[in-house]
Amino acid sequence: MPDDVRTASRPRIDIESVRRLTELADYVIPFAIRAVCDLGVADHLVDGPLPVADLAKRCDAEAGALLRVMRAVASKGIFTECEPGVFALTPLAQPLRTDHPVSVRDAYPFLVGDLHAWARFDYTLRTGRSSFEYVHEMGYWEYMAQHPEESKRFDGSQAAGTRLEVRTLLSSYDNWADVHEVVDLGGGNGMFLAGLLARYRHMHGTLFDQPHVVANAPKVFEEAGLTGRCDFVGGSFFDGVPPGADAYLLKRVLWSWVDDKAHELLTRVREAMRDDSRLLIHEPVAYPGDTDEVGKTYDLILLAMGGGCARPEEDLRALLEGAGLRLNRVIRTPMFPLIEAVPAT
């Protein structure tokens, strides 16, 4: 066969695609980012660049190992090696500072239980069942209850996400000024609700969650200078929720429940709502197509960890209608969509 025919039959080598795939598939940099977050590297560079030997002393790290890690993450724009062996913050590294307004330092913890589950994600793909439950032979929350140190790290990651949600939801929804009484259902320690009340001084809130969850919430509001602005109610929203508020929030709650339980929850909410109340749901929505949306990644986390799923918009609409609610609008935000529902006429 002539050389020119052989050459023509060979597939073109797309080096850029190979490079991009390698970058997406490699877990070395994500692990390195988590390590520098654990060490608090960004906090030690707030006042300016430091030689790696000084940085290592402040972080309680081995200088040679830290140098190699810093050069790797700096190659991705996270920190910069401004002189040989001297590192400084970059815009991409700023949110890794603990004192950053939307700090994500705690958003990337090492959770050993999660890592073991991801190592068997092939099981989830083959069966559709949770690799976490397969590996650990128990559910996610049962595992966390038995591993308090990991549970503490997990709580830190959720707090980091809430700081971002406060920023995005407060600026994305244009009707907060009309809300005087708001109930945050499954609102945890109240960090989001506290951020909402701090922004809108006319509001009064009710934090509703399991009794042991809301027990420590008053401290969050006291530290935020919001004493007297919120009621704290412990209970199960399947038994009923506080009635008569202007707005009800379900932030990353509905996705955790199968359809039957989600229908029951929405029915309890509708029973509590006035005819002019609104329900705000903030969680991933499963949109088709190739758009890069954070909800698609979160859906895989739910798949692996056994925590529920992101529903398509039409499924959410059907769930709402079954509970006597109507999907009024979907507001896109930099994180998850915000779904506004109102009582059906």
Side-chain angles (χ1 to χ4, degrees), residues 11-296:
R12 185 176 67 88
I13 299 175
D14 185 354
I15 296 297
E16 178 56 29
S17 291
V18 173
R19 187 200 67 78
R20 178 63 174 149
L21 282 170
T22 300
E23 184 178 71
L24 290 171
D26 190 11
Y27 52 71
V28 174
I29 295 300
F31 273 52
I33 293 170
R34 282 164 166 75
V36 299
C37 286
D38 264 6
L39 293 175
V41 169
D43 291 345
H44 296 295
L45 295 174
V46 170
D47 295 327
L50 283 175
V52 72
D54 293 343
L55 187 59
K57 288 179 182 178
R58 299 187 186 194
C59 295
D60 192 24
E62 197 279 322
L66 184 60
L67 174 63
R68 294 160 71 177
V69 170
M70 292 298 290
R71 281 180 170 162
V73 295
S75 73
K76 304 300 181 182
I78 308 170
F79 306 105
T80 180
E81 190 172 10
C82 49
E83 299 176 34
V86 178
F87 293 91
L89 293 171
T90 60
L92 198 55
Q94 291 286 350
L96 300 183
R97 293 165 38 193
T98 304
D99 64 349
H100 193 275
V102 285
S103 173
V104 293
R105 177 186 170 183
D106 293 330
Y108 311 118
F110 281 113
L111 297 177
V112 175
D114 287 21
L115 297 178
H116 287 169
W118 282 115
R120 288 309 317 269
F121 190 56
D122 63 306
Y123 170 84
T124 294
L125 287 179
R126 291 190 177 98
T127 66
R129 295 193 289 271
S130 163
S131 58
F132 189 96
E133 295 174 5
Y134 173 71
V135 169
H136 298 289
E137 299 182 339
M138 66 180 73
Y140 197 83
W141 303 119
E142 183 182 357
Y143 175 91
M144 285 298 176
Q146 296 181 20
H147 296 80
E149 186 58 35
E150 288 199 58
S151 180
K152 182 178 178 181
R153 285 172 172 259
F154 174 82
D155 289 344
S157 71
Q158 296 304 292
T162 298
R163 281 191 289 270
L164 291 173
E165 288 171 331
V166 169
R167 291 291 181 118
T168 58
L169 289 187
L170 266 58
S171 60
S172 299
Y173 188 60
D174 54 9
N175 288 108
W176 291 123
D178 301 329
V179 176
H180 294 268
E181 291 285 340
V182 58
V183 178
D184 192 353
L185 299 167
N189 69 355
M191 181 181 290
F192 177 82
L193 184 56
L196 182 62
L197 298 182
R199 173 75 174 269
Y200 294 97
R201 307 302 297 184
H202 69 282
M203 277 189 194
H204 182 272
T206 298
L207 182 67
F208 187 88
D209 211 314
Q210 294 292 323
H212 71 279
V213 175
V214 300
N216 296 320
K219 182 179 178 181
V220 173
F221 288 78
E222 181 181 347
E223 291 175 350
L226 298 169
T227 301
R229 300 269 311 281
C230 186
D231 296 328
F232 306 95
V233 181
S236 168
F237 34 51
F238 294 110
D239 296 331
V241 303
D246 299 313
Y248 292 82
L249 303 178
L250 284 173
K251 187 172 64 67
R252 287 186 281 136
V253 170
L254 200 63
W255 66 356
S256 299
W257 301 97
V258 297
D259 285 354
D260 287 349
K261 298 299 287 186
H263 168 77
E264 185 180 349
L265 167 55
L266 291 172
T267 299
R268 299 289 85 77
V269 176
R270 174 61 187 98
E271 290 170 352
M273 295 171 69
R274 306 189 311 258
D275 288 343
D276 61 346
S277 300
R278 68 201 75 177
L279 169 63
L280 302 173
I281 302 169
H282 182 55
E283 65 181 43
V285 174
Y287 288 110
D290 300 336
T291 54
D292 184 8
E293 298 181 41
V294 66
K296 294 177 179 178

Side-chain angles (χ1 to χ4, degrees), residues 252 255 282-287 291-303 308-311 332-337:
R252 287 186 281 136
W255 66 356
H282 182 55
E283 65 181 43
V285 174
Y287 288 110
T291 54
D292 184 8
E293 298 181 41
V294 66
K296 294 177 179 178
T297 302
Y298 268 78
D299 197 27
L300 295 188
I301 296 173
L302 296 171
L303 181 63
C309 69
R311 293 180 171 89
R332 296 297 187 96
T333 82
M335 291 191 69
F336 309 136

